[in-house]
Amino acid sequence: MKTDLTLIGEEAYRAAKELLAIAKPAEGQLFVVGCSTSEVGGAGIGTYSSPELAEVVFGGIYQATQEAGVYLAAQCCEHLNRALILEQEAAEKYGYEPVNVVPQPKAGGSFATAAYKAFEQPVAVEHIRANVGMDIGDTLIGMHLKDVAVPVRIRTAQIGDAHVVCARTRPKFIGGQRAVYDEMQL
């Protein structure tokens, strides 16, 4: 399993690096990740939570976000209403009010639990508006992205056995037929 865990960690890092290279978030922006370790391990979502898988997936993604200078937000599972775990500094920067909960593998999910353990000053918040997102195992992160999400195709289509879907966001287009748009924000 050690080789498999190493490979999964490498896939997670590679997927995050690919997304960050394409989406080009600014330093200090938010990158939301929802991850079903059950799906990564080849089981149905919510049926086989794995702290070991969570640690390697989280580790790969966290390394990529640290290198890019963006904040990572880990989405909890439905049992915590898809709350998010992030650094207190990020919550303060964006004005997100912390709530009192500590994720566990079967109540919040193994990925969010790994984030809570790894972050320097973790807090839970109920909602964010992220600039970039990665959904590992069809965990439905859309509620935590800014209004206009744009699909991003990356070469790493799976992490372990889990399907990976990525998105970046862009400002809304307003103004109609005579409007002129900034091509850099498309």
Side-chain angles (χ1 to χ4, degrees), residues 46-155:
T47 62
Y48 183 72
S49 191
S50 171
E52 296 79 21
L53 284 174
E55 287 177 14
V56 297
V57 173
F58 175 83
I61 295 169
Y62 192 47
Q63 180 182 345
T65 60
Q66 292 288 286
E67 291 169 3
V70 298
Y71 291 111
L72 177 57
Q75 177 182 269
C76 295
C77 73
E78 66 183 285
H79 298 101
L80 295 184
N81 298 327
R82 304 211 189 283
L84 302 119
I85 306 303
L86 67 161
E87 287 285 4
Q88 180 179 339
E89 177 183 356
E92 289 174 358
K93 175 179 178 173
Y94 288 99
Y96 300 137
E97 185 176 344
V99 294
N100 188 359
V101 70
V102 177
Q104 304 298 308
K106 299 252 182 219
S110 291
F111 187 79
T113 302
Y116 196 90
K117 289 178 181 176
F119 287 156
E120 205 170 298
Q121 293 184 293
V123 296
V125 300
E126 290 185 284
H127 304 285
I128 65 170
R129 292 175 45 77
N131 306 87
V132 179
M134 179 181 292
D135 186 321
I136 305 166
D138 304 318
T139 60
L140 304 175
I141 62 162
M143 66 192 284
H144 297 303
L145 292 170
K146 290 186 175 182
D147 287 344
V148 184
V150 178
V152 174
R153 305 281 184 243
I154 62 172
R155 290 184 312 267

